Amino acid sequence: MSDKIKIILDVDTGTDDAVAIMMAYLEEKIDLLAVCTVVGNKPLENTTENTLRVKDLLKADFPVYKGCGEAMVCNLNPNRHGGFKGVRTKVGDMKEDVSMHTEYLDIPASTSKVEKEHAVFYYIDTLMKSDGDITLVPVGPLTNLAMAMRIQPEICGKIKEIVMMGGGCRRTNSTPASEFNIWHDPEAAQIVMDSGVPIRMVPLDATHNACVSTDDTKEFRAMGNPVGDAVADFTDHRIMAYSQLQPMERIDSAPVHDALAVCAVAYPEALKDLLFTRVDIDFSGGFADGQTIVDPRAFVDKPRNCHFAFDADREFFVQWMKDLARKV
Ligand code: BDR
Ligand code: CA
């Protein structure tokens, strides 16, 4: 029997999701069972096509399941996402919009296809049949997972762990209070936080401390293989966008958020300064809509539900990606 860590990745691909998929596929400690797609960085059709493009680039055979194209309920209220803008694509006197994600990833169009089953039912079928040994790694909005939990709550007892990219305590991006994955579907995020499943949260507090720089992308490009080139291209695009919209402390660098969550699955030591605490989500529709509320107190009111990472080991994380990309 294989002792690899079985995971299902849930993505809204996206430049950093693309790197996460590549690393999950290449990491020998991980058995990538499937990749599920969700709306988020772009509409569902785009995130799904992008996911298939990455799969084809890797010449991989993992199945791709298409999931939800809209957040659970928050779009019903025009004062929610309508009232606040998402991650900003223009600041100051910028004339052109700049985005961390192109409409489609700049790699060849896909030839492979999605599976027939919907991602939500794939989760339910697979988890119910499992021995409770599957780790879920959502790195986009939590819509698919929360839907599956609502339809079949028994899956919660079958999930080994959730290692998710999302949230932010001292760092935010969508609004002054919120991080994108949580903000996009706050009700879904709260359902997951209430699920009772062990959760490790990889928030902006950790990912912003593990940025990839242009010195690093030069090394990826010098590898001379399709993965090294793709990581370099996607990350250089991110660095260009972050430098204009949300400059990082380390000059000419950007977070590759989602890949850090994958790294943490195989190497928990990549995350630092973890706090086991209570985390809830604001979904009241006000200024703090989508906020990750991390309880810093010694005596919390509700049971602790999350290991929240305030920091990460940048050198370890970047070296891990380089080692994986180099062996392609
Ligand atoms: C998260 O939002 C998305 O833009 C990224 O792919 C990442 O999952 C960061 O806030
Ligand atoms: Ca993502």
Side-chain angles (χ1 to χ4, degrees), residues 16-17 41 101 139 165 173 179-181 204 257-258:
D16 58 329
D17 306 73
N41 286 319
H101 311 280
V139 296
M165 192 283 132
N173 55 15
E179 181 279 330
F180 178 79
N181 289 340
L204 299 178
H257 312 280
D258 298 346

Side-chain angles (χ1 to χ4, degrees), residues 7-13 17 21 32-40 44 47-52 62-68 114-115 117-124 126-127 134-145 148 258:
I7 75 163
I8 301 171
L9 198 54
D10 201 297
V11 293
D12 59 331
T13 320
D17 306 73
I21 298 168
L32 180 59
L33 300 182
V35 179
C36 297
T37 65
V38 69
V39 61
L44 181 64
T47 62
T48 305
E49 164 63 15
N50 283 340
T51 303
L52 292 171
F62 54 76
V64 174
Y65 294 88
K66 191 169 163 181
C68 296
V114 290
E115 303 299 311
E117 196 175 21
H118 191 282
V120 170
F121 294 100
Y122 167 72
Y123 273 125
I124 295 170
T126 307
L127 289 165
I134 299 175
T135 298
L136 303 186
V137 189
V139 296
L142 290 151
T143 318
N144 290 335
L145 197 45
D258 298 346

Side-chain angles (χ1 to χ4, degrees), residues 172-189:
T172 61
N173 55 15
S174 275
T175 69
S178 68
E179 181 279 330
F180 178 79
N181 289 340
I182 304 293
W183 168 87
H184 196 275
D185 196 344
E187 285 85 357

Side-chain angles (χ1 to χ4, degrees), residues 3 10 41 54 58 109 115 130 162-163 177 185-186 191 197 206 209 211 239 242-243 271 285 289 293 304 316 324:
D3 56 3
D10 201 297
N41 286 319
V54 176
L58 291 164
E115 303 299 311
S130 78
I162 295 172
V163 182
D185 196 344
I191 289 170
V197 177
N209 287 349
C211 287
I239 294 171
Y242 270 89
S243 301
L271 300 180
D289 204 29
I293 302 165
R304 291 178 167 81
F316 181 93
L324 288 179

